[in-house]
Amino acid sequence: MTSDRNDRRSMDDHGHDVIDPLYVGIVTVSSSRARADEADPDDPGGDTIQECFEDAGHEVQERLLVRDDYSAIRTAVRGLVARPDIDVVLTTGGTGVTADDVSPEATASLFERDLPGFGELFRMLSWEEVGTRAMASRARAGIAVDTPVFCLPGSTSACETACEELIVPEAPHLAGLATRHRTGTNDQTLADYGE
């Protein structure tokens, strides 16, 4: 998989590393959908994210559905960032202020570096759409195991705004920078460290 990522690595007009196309992992956080008896429950947030990335020429490698639970969210995200065939991970759902909205805490526990600008810009864009309700969003982003991770609200509008305005345009650059130190080396996974 390392050679594949290196084959997709190039430089942008400013000489920065980019990875294009990106290989994407999506985690939908929803207790009600995770409990659904359906084999393929409705997932409008995940569908919106997938459509945004695929419309830009990227590939979704994995989609997971987990309940609103700290351990379940953390385990799903941890598994995806450890995979050499995943360049960026997005969660949708669980970023509000109810007691079971724990996506930001679960993912942030994996972050080596925060990307506070994402949450700030997302709330600014949300202000234009939903006004003062934007302050209730705890959307955030960071780098975990050299992989950009974005925590988005569950609404399709929020997913579309975040992906189209912020993530899809910038994620190839972020993924390239986060993995630049690996160029010419073999990827190691968490499994290589006995975890």
Side-chain angles (χ1 to χ4, degrees), residues 34-118:
R35 280 192 303 264
D37 292 334
E38 306 165 36
D40 189 19
D42 186 38
D43 180 10
D47 293 344
T48 300
I49 294 168
Q50 181 166 348
E51 184 177 317
C52 289
F53 274 89
E54 288 179 347
D55 285 352
H58 304 294
E59 299 176 24
V60 174
Q61 298 292 314
E62 184 80 51
R63 284 184 63 173
L64 303 172
L65 174 61
V66 299
R67 65 190 187 286
D68 291 281
D69 174 77
Y70 182 95
S71 294
I73 298 163
R74 188 177 192 282
T75 298
V77 172
R78 185 174 182 259
L80 290 174
V81 299
R83 288 176 47 174
D85 65 329
I86 299 288
D87 301 310
V88 62
V89 174
L90 295 93
T91 69
T92 175
T95 63
V97 296
T98 65
D100 63 348
D101 285 329
V102 295
S103 293
E105 291 80 12
T107 54
S109 71
L110 299 168
F111 291 170
E112 296 140 5
R113 292 173 302 286
D114 282 311
L115 297 172
F118 168 72

Side-chain angles (χ1 to χ4, degrees), residues 16-51:
H16 298 135
D17 285 273
V18 295
I19 297 176
D20 194 0
L22 289 170
Y23 294 166
V24 181
I26 301 169
V27 179
T28 297
V29 179
S30 173
S31 291
S32 61
R33 287 186 177 91
R35 280 192 303 264
D37 292 334
E38 306 165 36
D40 189 19
D42 186 38
D43 180 10
D47 293 344
T48 300
I49 294 168
Q50 181 166 348
E51 184 177 317

Side-chain angles (χ1 to χ4, degrees), residues 23 28 57 62 77 79 86 109 112 127 130-131 145 150 154 166-167 179 186 192:
Y23 294 166
T28 297
E62 184 80 51
V77 172
I86 299 288
S109 71
E112 296 140 5
W127 164 261
V130 298
V145 191
F150 298 89
L166 300 171
I167 302 170
T179 58
N186 290 325
D192 294 331

